[in-house]
Amino acid sequence: MIMKSRLLRYSCRLLKCAVLTCCASLLVASKAPSLLEQVKASGKLVVLSQNGPTTYYEDANGNYTGFEYGMLRAFARELGVTLEIRDVHDLGHLFRELENPDSGAHLAAAGLTVTPERREQVRFAPSYFEIRQQIIYRLGESRPRSVADLEGKNIAVIAGSAHAEQLRKLSERYPALTWEEISDVDAMELVDMVNEGKYTYAVVDSNAYAVHRGLYPNTHIAFNLTQFQPVSWAFPRGDDDTLYRAARNFMLRANTSGLVAELRELYFGHVSKMNAGGAQTFAQLSRERLPQWRAEMERVAKQYDLDWELLAALSYQESHWNPHAKSPTGVRGLMMLTLATAREMGVNRLDPIESIEGGARYFMQVRDKIPERIREPDRTWMALAAYNVGYGHLEDARVLTERMGGSPDRWADVREHLPLLAKRQYYTTLKHGYARGWEPVTYVKNIRHYQALLTWTSRIEEQRLAAAAANDAGESLADIPVAEAAASQSAL
């Protein structure tokens, strides 16, 4: 009897343990996956953004590029998922979509300024950039020097932006301050409105204006409306912060590993301090001279697998697209070739068509000398520097860069050491001696800036043509009787 009683008690304990184990398993099995686990399981990271020069845009080959895109692609790659970007043109709508759990959006990355008001609405990852809000005015108008000078003027800002928040704060001290919040526009559209005289002033971010100031020669910076402010990705608030924490850790590593610095150099390193006169000249010659040579540049660029905007930017830097240009040193023509280079390329440098051909061929010849291990775009930028200062001096700068602890394969490092070629303590230790090393640094920066301007204007032009074609098609169908219109649409 005692043995049976012990066996019974032991069996009960085993049964209880089995029941508890089963319940625990059920609880674990029924636990909902975290947001990070859901993203990885779906294989897709959905991001709200705004198409533009500082966020993401299509390059000449139809592929997405841009600073925000580079950051997002690296994060998605780290998670092992693909990146899906949803363009949301209106900032107010962007934040509403982010907060809507049914939208399917995981985060927003659109150059969003971190403000106290927004922190109450969303959760921000660590900052990867800083910008200042700037007042832009039209040249010829009275330049405002302070917020007091803005009172009673027509100021344009993007609806729902941090700029509008700032003006609302300032209006407490300056009650006569008024502004118009405009929906469905980006920063460059606001600057264009000021450029055309539709508004007296606009508030935009410093990086957006710096990148494409050359497109708007009638505008200038009046003053900084704010000090530097952090910019980062925004996440919806909620109990599940697993994706946010993954992004936070990624951003901390990106800031320390050099990824942020690399992308900033790639997308903003070309920003030039083009003055108003330079901007006006570029805009004017883009209209008056470039169209005459564009088709030939596109043909030659395609032949050598180059972006035509790069070839055009190189030509602008050399001659301002003037086929009769001549320098005191004897270089001549649209691509400013020396007589020796023209003969080597087998072209007549005074013939603009042959000059384009010869310049492109010579550039490719120089680029082919650059070690293959150097990745793009550093390879192209070094080739441009060699095109200007000579391949031997570029190699000297690379030797000096490595000698001083930098990477000879990174343009950002090499350009820091090129100016040292003009200092005796350095050039006497190098093979090719003295060089005006600061010139290729400015040369490359200018060309990159001109190329960015031309690339962006090309994209704008394509979008306008597409919109015009769509409108024309709609109008044509509107003029056809309903039955015929339906037949036409079916045929399309």
Side-chain angles (χ1 to χ4, degrees):
M1 289 295 294
I2 295 174
M3 182 65 68
K4 287 183 179 180
S5 177
R6 288 177 177 174
L7 286 173
L8 183 61
R9 287 198 300 273
Y10 182 69
S11 298
C12 288
R13 282 199 297 271
L14 286 177
L15 181 60
K16 288 180 181 178
C17 287
V19 170
L20 289 172
T21 301
C22 183
C23 290
S25 299
L26 288 173
L27 286 172
V28 170
S30 63
K31 181 183 177 182
S34 69
L35 179 57
L36 180 58
E37 291 169 337
Q38 292 176 43
V39 170
K40 290 183 175 181
S42 71
K44 183 168 60 178
L45 180 69
V46 181
V47 180
L48 304 177
S49 189
Q50 292 187 312
N51 184 231
T54 60
T55 50
Y56 82 97
Y57 55 93
E58 285 190 8
D59 62 18
N61 299 314
N63 301 315
Y64 281 154
T65 187
F67 179 83
E68 288 280 17
Y69 181 76
M71 292 286 291
L72 291 167
R73 185 175 61 175
F75 181 46
R77 188 185 298 120
E78 181 174 289
L79 297 181
V81 300
T82 59
L83 175 63
E84 178 184 313
I85 294 183
R86 296 181 186 173
D87 184 48
V88 184
H89 211 47
D90 181 82
L91 273 175
H93 184 60
L94 180 144
F95 281 106
R96 287 193 294 274
E97 280 288 291
L98 182 63
E99 293 179 291
N100 180 6
D102 297 325
S103 70
H106 299 126
L107 66 113
L112 300 173
T113 306
V114 181
T115 66
E117 292 80 4
R118 286 177 173 176
R119 282 189 182 278
E120 295 179 1
Q121 186 178 1
V122 297
R123 181 160 41 193
F124 283 102
S127 172
Y128 55 84
F129 209 77
E130 287 188 330
I131 58 92
R132 288 188 289 197
Q133 296 181 27
Q134 295 179 323
I135 296 293
I136 306 303
Y137 77 106
R138 192 173 192 273
L139 293 176
E141 302 287 343
S142 176
R143 177 183 177 180
R145 304 284 177 174
S146 66
V147 177
D149 294 336
L150 302 178
E151 290 188 295
K153 306 295 185 180
N154 60 333
I155 308 170
V157 296
I158 297 173
S161 65
H163 314 135
E165 288 181 14
Q166 182 66 19
L167 290 178
R168 278 193 286 273
K169 289 180 184 176
L170 291 170
S171 65
E172 296 175 4
R173 292 175 55 197
Y174 302 92
L177 191 65
T178 59
W179 62 94
E180 182 176 346
E181 296 190 36
I182 307 174
S183 300
D184 295 325
V185 295
D186 60 25
M188 291 302 95
E189 288 174 296
L190 286 189
V191 176
D192 187 46
M193 291 174 184
V194 175
N195 189 69
E196 297 298 323
K198 296 177 182 177
Y199 286 88
T200 308
Y201 310 125
V203 187
V204 297
D205 289 338
S206 53
N207 64 328
Y209 184 66
V211 169
H212 289 114
R213 177 188 173 187
L215 296 177
Y216 309 100
N218 296 325
T219 66
H220 205 278
I221 300 168
F223 62 90
N224 295 317
L225 192 62
T226 67
Q227 297 300 313
F228 281 107
Q229 297 175 301
V231 173
S232 192
W233 295 346
F235 291 78
R237 289 194 170 277
D239 296 331
D240 190 334
D241 65 350
T242 52
L243 181 62
Y244 166 78
R245 283 190 281 112
R248 180 191 62 193
N249 294 336
F250 164 80
M251 197 65 75
L252 291 173
R253 288 194 302 274
N255 277 310
T256 57
S257 69
L259 174 62
V260 172
E262 181 180 338
L263 291 174
R264 287 184 66 168
E265 163 60 27
L266 178 61
Y267 294 107
F268 304 120
H270 66 274
V271 172
S272 172
K273 295 181 180 179
M274 183 185 287
N275 60 29
Q280 288 175 335
T281 300
F282 181 82
Q284 179 182 350
L285 297 184
S286 294
R287 294 190 304 269
E288 296 177 358
R289 291 183 182 174
L290 179 59
Q292 185 176 358
W293 315 116
R294 175 169 173 170
E296 185 63 21
M297 288 178 179
E298 289 178 339
R299 182 191 70 77
V300 173
K302 185 176 182 180
Q303 177 183 341
Y304 289 100
D305 194 26
L306 291 168
D307 289 338
W308 81 266
E309 293 96 342
L310 174 63
L311 193 57
L314 174 58
S315 180
Y316 182 80
Q317 172 66 24
E318 290 287 353
S319 69
H320 278 32
W321 300 315
N322 177 9
H324 307 295
K326 180 179 180 180
S327 81
T329 59
V331 293
R332 299 183 67 178
L334 204 63
M335 301 296 289
M336 295 295 273
L337 302 175
T338 65
L339 183 58
T341 299
R343 285 173 176 170
E344 183 184 349
M345 298 299 107
V347 299
N348 176 4
R349 60 183 180 159
L350 302 183
D351 182 307
I353 305 302
E354 291 192 28
S355 182
I356 294 170
E357 173 74 28
R361 191 183 310 152
Y362 178 62
F363 173 75
M364 292 302 295
Q365 188 179 92
V366 172
R367 193 171 74 169
D368 287 344
K369 293 181 181 180
I370 306 296
E372 291 185 4
R373 69 175 180 275
I374 298 178
R375 299 180 303 167
E376 290 291 359
D378 295 81
R379 185 182 177 89
T380 291
W381 298 338
M382 288 193 194
L384 288 170
Y387 188 101
N388 173 256
V389 77
Y391 185 75
H393 289 307
L394 174 71
E395 282 300 286
D396 278 354
R398 294 182 64 238
V399 168
L400 187 59
T401 300
E402 186 170 30
R403 187 186 297 171
M404 299 182 73
S407 169
D409 296 346
R410 292 185 69 246
W411 170 245
D413 288 355
V414 174
R415 74 176 181 189
E416 294 299 318
H417 297 87
L418 266 164
L420 300 180
L421 300 185
K423 294 188 175 183
R424 182 177 178 80
Q425 68 186 96
Y426 297 107
Y427 71 72
T428 54
T429 69
L430 299 166
K431 182 177 180 180
H432 298 277
Y434 173 85
R436 297 161 63 90
W438 66 89
E439 289 184 347
V441 176
T442 302
Y443 183 86
V444 174
K445 188 172 187 177
N446 287 347
I447 290 174
R448 290 176 61 190
H449 187 59
Y450 300 143
Q451 182 186 8
L453 294 177
L454 291 169
T455 299
W456 190 246
T457 52
S458 293
R459 301 293 87 78
I460 293 173
E461 181 183 338
E462 290 169 4
Q463 291 170 3
R464 286 175 178 170
L465 289 174
N471 289 336
D472 289 344
E475 290 172 3
S476 298
L477 290 174
D479 294 335
I480 303 174
V482 174
E484 293 182 28
S488 299
Q489 289 173 325
S490 298
L492 291 173

